[in-house]
Amino acid sequence: MEVPRRPQPSSFTLALPKPASPALSPLGAVKKVAEKDPMKEKLQEKDGTTERNQFGEETCSTEESDVSVFVEEAAAETSELVDSNASAVNSRLSSQDSFSEESSISEERLAQEAEEAKKKSEEDEAAAKEREAQRQLLSIEELVQSERNYLRLLQVSTVTIRSNLQKLQPPLANLDSMFLYIEEVIDVSGRLLSLLDQKQVRPGDPLFLETLCDSFLSLSSEIEAAYKEYLANYNHITVVENSYKQKEGLWNEIVSVIKASAPEVNATSLSFFLVMPVQRIARYPLLLQTIQKHTDRAHPAYALLEQTAHTSIALNCRINEYKRFREVADKYKKTETLTIKDKINRLNSHSIAKKTARLSQQIKHETGIAPKLVDEEFDALEGFFYVLEHGILELLENVETYLHHLQGFLACKTEEFDFDMDGEKAPISYKEITTALRQWILPTFEKRMRTLMHKPLCALRDLLVGPRNLIRKRLDKLLDYEMIEAKSNLSYEEQAVANTYRTINTLLLNELPRFNGLALQMIWSMLGTFSCLHKDLASDMEQLFQSFAQQLPHSSFSPGAFWEWAESAVLEGARKLDTLCRSVEDTLNAPVVQPLSPSSQRRLKQLTDKHGSGKIYQVIGTVVGSRDLDLNLAKGELVAIISEADSRGDKRRWLIDAGGRRGYAPSSKLIRYHQPAEDPPPSPHLTLPEDMTGIRRHSYTPENRPLTVMSQPCFQVLAAYDFIARGNHEVSMRAGEPVRVLEHHDKRGNPEWSLVEVKGGQRGYVPSNYLAIMPMGMGPPGCHQPY
């Protein structure tokens, strides 16, 4: 009989049924995990030991036995398990009842906790809203309070510091230019604060935000206009301040004045105050965006606040663009007065290449090789600008001429002349009227003309330089732009050229219409001022004449009769003046008959014998020959006309005979010679006794009479006729004028000419037959004393 083998230990896994647990809350689940499973405890008590497999399930191990025993035990075990399962089901049903009671308690707790959490979240949300409202209030207060401090510091710099700096000696140069446009900035800031104060709404009021936004939006255009001019001029402020810093002593005085004027600020330079507008305009968007960040979107003024923030950003962008335009305009509108040496020094390969390219592009335009960019809008503006420029320059020239003639009129002090009419009312009234005109009315009129007409026109003429230079520079940049326009890829330098042209073109299109409009408005205004000035002048003169009207001889006339008399008197005076002018003109145009020198008399006799007296002409001006066969003739020389045209038939050149020389002379220099009588007519100023007629001619040459020395002269030499000098070697004298005979002949010994000295010390030759010897005291009435 075989000994049975020891069976190998074996194991089996018992899969326990898992009851369907109800849906539990996390708290109920945690409690259920802590409770014991009765099924597992029973199995552990029956088997003695339990193990868990790799899947976490419980496994049971049995003692060693044979196979039959094992099978029987397995069957018994199975029956026991069925019974235990039934009991487990019953126990689980009882446990489910206990779980339902516990879950209802948990649900109540959860509802309470949810309600508490909701209340806590509502409290947190309310606290957050309160914090946001507090931050919004602080942001609004910061904007308003910083605006007040900003305005106060600007007023300190403009009023206190500026007035104290103006007291420095010597005065600071360009001090006022540092404060340009700051008054406008102060004004617009003050208006913004006044709008907020007028509403009488505090920052804590919900309506204050709406008031703030409305005030800013209503002043946005004024803020832009004030700040853009100030920011465009800020570079000039730094330049002036740097010029002060170069002088150490002067700068120390400025710093001491600033510290004494504003001790609470502790500033050490003017730029500390003057840079504030630059910083303030850029801070508006930041402050408004901060307020917007802490404002609930459900706030009624949120949309208005958002619009205000966007407006402040756009305002800064436009100011920056305007500043960039101004920098380009300031760069290209300057007029440089360069010497030839400076221009040569500026020549280099780059400038030569650029100017050559521009010239070639312009030649292509003129020849039609390359098309030209046409901008009709700009061409119209440019044409109107040049028309305005021409009109302004013409008006300025006319005003200057008017003032020049007015000064000439004031220089004629006719009231200072003595008319020898003492006691007559009309001359006295005329003298008083002219005195008042010259000393009061006309000087006041001239001063107003210079202030209201001449000075503005000069300023307007100077303003024309900038636009004119920009227009010229635009043409140069247009030529450069046309050469690179067709390129797809531009280099950095080419992109800069294109941007410069676009900037100048945009600047001119935006600013030139405004300039043309303002210039035209100024011209019309000045023309109206010119009319008003003359109206005031006429009113002053009328008032002046009315005060003297009773003293004038025709003051009793009625207005109609007076104007009729005045018109007839003016016409009669004009007729007499015209007659006088005609007589003077005829006298001036009449040929002056002068006595001929002996050589001229010999030439006259020679030409008369050869050509006749009707062909004799006299040269009225010096003739210098410029062509072949032309003669050189002196003024007063006698010639004879051979032909009144040259060989080509030109009647402007005559063929003449100048006493042996023949040639051509211009006909405009010749006048017919009127031969005087052989002896000059008797002088109307001299009446000689009959016994003195023999010595009237050549009285300075005694006919071999012995000289007798006398203590006082018995005779005097007088000019019998008027004589006009024809050259430097002759001297003029008037009839009846005493002369002193120095030599009774000329340098060649010719007795027909005498060297004399007239009153005044002038010496020269005169014809001897124009002199007469008179006894002392027998001269014409009013004759001068012996000379």
Side-chain angles (χ1 to χ4, degrees):
M1 185 173 174
E2 295 181 359
V3 178
R5 292 184 180 181
R6 186 184 184 91
Q8 297 293 330
S10 61
S11 63
F12 67 93
T13 303
L14 180 62
L16 298 176
K18 296 180 181 180
S21 61
L24 298 177
S25 65
L27 183 58
V30 172
K31 291 182 179 179
K32 189 175 183 300
V33 170
E35 295 178 354
K36 295 181 179 180
D37 192 350
M39 181 67 71
K40 291 183 180 180
E41 291 178 354
K42 184 175 182 181
L43 289 174
Q44 288 176 1
E45 290 175 357
K46 181 175 179 62
D47 297 336
T49 59
T50 59
E51 293 179 357
R52 294 182 180 273
N53 61 4
Q54 59 182 348
F55 299 103
E57 298 176 345
E58 295 181 355
T59 60
C60 300
S61 60
T62 62
E63 299 291 335
E64 296 180 354
S65 63
D66 52 15
V67 176
S68 60
V69 176
F70 178 78
V71 171
E72 291 176 358
E73 291 179 353
E77 185 71 23
T78 303
S79 63
E80 291 178 358
L81 285 174
V82 171
D83 295 336
S84 64
N85 285 335
S87 63
V89 169
N90 294 328
S91 64
R92 185 172 181 181
L93 290 174
S94 62
S95 65
Q96 285 180 356
D97 295 335
S98 64
F99 286 160
S100 61
E101 294 177 359
E102 293 177 358
S103 63
S104 62
I105 297 172
S106 300
E107 288 178 357
E108 293 177 359
R109 291 179 180 178
L110 288 175
Q112 293 177 358
E113 291 176 358
E115 186 177 357
E116 292 176 357
K118 183 178 179 181
K119 290 181 180 180
K120 187 175 182 181
S121 63
E122 290 177 354
E123 291 176 357
D124 293 342
E125 185 178 357
K129 288 183 178 180
E130 182 67 25
R131 286 194 299 271
E132 289 296 323
Q134 188 67 22
R135 290 173 183 173
Q136 181 198 41
L137 177 61
L138 292 176
S139 301
I140 294 174
E141 289 180 348
E142 180 186 1
L143 190 150
V144 176
Q145 189 60 34
S146 60
E147 187 73 19
R148 295 187 189 278
N149 294 335
Y150 163 69
L151 178 61
R152 180 180 60 83
L153 291 176
L154 285 185
Q155 290 173 346
V156 168
S157 65
T158 307
V159 178
T160 308
I161 298 178
R162 182 181 182 181
S163 60
N164 291 336
L165 289 177
Q166 288 176 344
K167 297 177 182 178
L168 292 179
Q169 295 297 331
L172 295 177
N174 300 322
L175 178 62
D176 293 336
S177 63
M178 296 186 67
F179 295 90
L180 284 177
Y181 307 110
I182 198 171
E183 298 290 344
E184 290 79 0
V185 174
I186 293 175
D187 177 67
V188 73
S189 179
R191 289 169 62 189
L192 178 61
L193 291 174
S194 65
L195 286 177
L196 297 178
D197 295 337
Q198 287 175 3
K199 298 294 183 179
Q200 295 181 356
V201 182
R202 298 302 175 189
D205 197 320
L207 296 176
F208 186 83
L209 183 59
E210 183 179 355
T211 303
L212 175 63
C213 296
D214 288 336
S215 302
F216 190 89
L217 290 176
S218 63
L219 293 175
S220 59
S221 58
E222 288 84 352
I223 291 173
E224 179 181 355
Y227 278 89
K228 72 179 182 181
E229 295 296 340
Y230 185 85
L231 266 66
N233 187 62
Y234 184 73
N235 292 334
H236 177 72
I237 294 175
T238 57
V239 170
V240 175
E241 188 175 38
N242 290 333
S243 66
Y244 294 156
K245 290 181 179 179
Q246 292 178 358
K247 301 176 182 179
E248 184 177 358
L250 177 61
W251 181 246
N252 291 333
E253 291 183 4
I254 293 175
V255 172
S256 62
V257 169
I258 294 173
K259 289 183 177 180
S261 302
E264 72 280 2
V265 182
N266 195 21
T268 58
S269 65
L270 279 174
S271 59
F272 176 85
F273 298 96
L274 299 180
V275 78
M276 287 182 179
V278 182
Q279 299 170 343
R280 187 63 184 177
I281 192 63
R283 197 178 176 192
Y284 282 132
L286 300 177
L287 294 171
L288 292 172
Q289 287 174 350
T290 303
I291 298 174
Q292 182 184 359
K293 178 181 177 182
H294 299 300
T295 303
D296 188 7
R297 290 183 175 271
H299 195 283
Y302 184 84
L304 188 61
L305 177 60
E306 187 176 11
Q307 180 186 357
T308 307
H310 289 317
T311 302
S312 65
I313 296 173
L315 187 144
N316 275 269
C317 293
R318 289 195 296 270
I319 290 175
N320 290 334
E321 190 71 10
Y322 178 79
K323 188 175 184 297
R324 187 173 68 87
F325 281 176
R326 279 289 299 270
E327 290 174 354
V328 174
D330 293 340
K331 177 181 178 182
Y332 290 110
K333 75 179 183 180
K334 295 179 181 177
T335 302
E336 297 180 340
T337 55
L338 300 176
T339 62
I340 298 178
K341 183 178 179 180
D342 295 335
K343 293 180 180 179
I344 293 175
N345 291 334
R346 285 194 174 187
L347 289 177
N348 51 43
S349 58
H350 176 71
S351 63
I352 294 174
K354 184 169 64 175
K355 293 183 183 300
T356 304
R358 290 175 180 173
L359 180 61
S360 63
Q361 186 72 12
Q362 201 162 7
I363 292 174
K364 290 178 183 178
H365 289 165
E366 297 297 332
T367 55
I369 298 175
K372 182 180 180 181
L373 291 177
V374 178
D375 189 346
E376 295 181 356
E377 181 182 2
F378 176 78
D379 292 341
L381 292 174
E382 182 186 8
F384 188 66
F385 170 78
Y386 284 125
V387 170
L388 277 178
E389 181 183 23
H390 178 73
I392 291 168
L393 296 179
E394 286 287 337
L395 181 59
L396 178 60
E397 183 180 359
N398 292 337
V399 169
E400 289 178 345
T401 305
Y402 184 90
L403 292 173
H404 176 72
H405 291 318
L406 183 60
Q407 288 179 345
F409 179 77
L410 292 174
C412 299
K413 303 177 182 179
T414 55
E415 73 278 3
E416 296 181 358
F417 293 96
D418 189 6
F419 295 103
D420 295 332
M421 297 181 180
D422 296 338
E424 298 185 14
K425 292 183 179 181
I428 294 175
S429 298
Y430 171 78
K431 186 174 182 179
E432 292 178 354
I433 289 173
T434 52
T435 302
L437 283 175
R438 192 181 61 82
Q439 294 183 357
W440 172 52
I441 296 179
L442 292 180
T444 304
F445 173 75
E446 181 190 10
K447 184 178 180 181
R448 295 183 67 192
M449 276 285 295
R450 292 190 180 277
T451 304
L452 302 176
M453 287 290 297
H454 186 259
K455 189 175 180 180
L457 280 174
C458 291
L460 188 56
R461 177 197 59 191
D462 297 337
L463 290 176
L464 294 172
V465 177
R468 188 191 313 121
N469 291 340
L470 277 179
I471 291 173
R472 293 175 182 173
K473 185 57 66 175
R474 177 194 175 275
L475 177 60
D476 296 338
K477 297 300 179 182
L478 175 60
L479 296 175
D480 298 339
Y481 178 74
E482 288 176 343
M483 290 184 287
I484 64 175
E485 182 189 13
K487 294 184 179 180
S488 58
N489 296 325
L490 300 180
S491 63
Y492 178 78
E493 293 182 355
E494 292 173 343
Q495 188 66 39
V497 170
N499 292 337
T500 302
Y501 165 72
R502 294 191 187 101
T503 301
I504 295 177
N505 189 63
T506 306
L507 179 64
L508 288 174
L509 289 177
N510 293 337
E511 299 295 332
L512 201 56
R514 296 176 55 195
F515 180 86
N516 290 343
L518 291 175
L520 183 61
Q521 184 178 357
M522 288 183 65
I523 291 177
W524 284 114
S525 177
M526 283 185 282
L527 291 176
T529 302
F530 187 76
S531 300
C532 292
L533 287 175
H534 282 80
K535 183 178 179 181
D536 294 342
L537 176 63
S539 176
D540 293 340
M541 294 182 69
E542 182 180 5
Q543 183 179 0
L544 175 65
F545 278 91
Q546 284 179 354
S547 61
F548 294 98
Q550 302 299 327
Q551 303 178 14
L552 296 177
H554 304 283
S555 59
S556 58
F557 286 6
S558 62
F562 175 79
W563 287 114
E564 183 179 356
W565 167 82
E567 182 179 2
S568 61
V570 169
L571 293 177
E572 180 65 21
R575 186 185 63 78
K576 292 181 179 179
L577 182 61
D578 183 64
T579 304
L580 178 62
C581 291
R582 289 177 182 273
S583 62
V584 171
E585 185 178 357
D586 294 340
T587 304
L588 293 176
N589 293 335
V592 180
V593 179
Q594 294 285 354
L596 299 176
S597 62
S599 59
S600 298
Q601 290 179 355
R602 287 193 295 270
R603 177 180 294 186
L604 176 61
K605 185 176 183 306
Q606 178 184 357
L607 294 176
T608 303
D609 295 342
K610 188 174 182 180
H611 300 281
S613 59
K615 296 288 186 178
I616 306 302
Y617 280 74
Q618 191 173 18
V619 180
I620 61 175
T622 304
V623 177
V624 179
S626 59
R627 298 165 61 179
D628 294 339
L629 301 179
D630 284 353
L631 297 178
N632 295 328
L633 302 173
K635 180 181 179 181
E637 192 171 348
L638 298 177
V639 296
I641 302 301
I642 299 176
S643 174
E644 294 184 357
D646 59 4
S647 58
R648 297 182 179 180
D650 187 0
K651 295 185 178 182
R652 293 175 299 178
R653 298 175 70 232
W654 288 358
L655 180 62
I656 61 174
D657 180 6
R661 297 176 300 150
R662 293 192 176 188
Y664 293 100
S667 59
S668 59
K669 297 287 186 177
L670 301 176
I671 189 172
R672 185 180 296 275
Y673 177 71
H674 299 277
Q675 188 172 358
E678 294 183 358
D679 290 332
S683 174
H685 302 284
L686 295 178
T687 304
L688 300 179
E690 297 181 358
D691 55 349
M692 295 296 295
T693 56
I695 60 172
R696 183 180 63 83
R697 304 283 301 277
H698 310 295
S699 58
Y700 57 89
T701 55
E703 300 177 357
N704 297 327
R705 296 179 182 177
L707 295 176
T708 305
V709 179
M710 303 178 64
S711 60
Q712 293 184 352
C714 298
F715 299 93
Q716 57 181 344
V717 179
L718 303 176
Y721 308 97
D722 293 338
F723 177 74
I724 300 175
R726 297 170 299 179
N728 296 332
H729 61 284
E730 297 177 356
V731 66
S732 300
M733 61 182 183
R734 298 178 60 184
E737 181 181 356
V739 298
R740 178 182 297 173
V741 179
L742 302 178
E743 292 182 358
H744 54 81
H745 55 79
D746 59 8
K747 294 182 178 180
R748 297 181 180 180
N750 186 1
E752 294 183 358
W753 291 89
S754 300
L755 180 64
V756 300
E757 180 181 356
V758 298
K759 193 171 184 180
Q762 296 181 357
R763 296 184 178 186
Y765 289 96
V766 298
S768 300
N769 57 354
Y770 273 54
L771 301 176
I773 297 178
M774 293 288 294
M776 294 296 295
M778 295 185 64
C783 179
H784 301 279
Q785 295 296 326
Y787 180 64

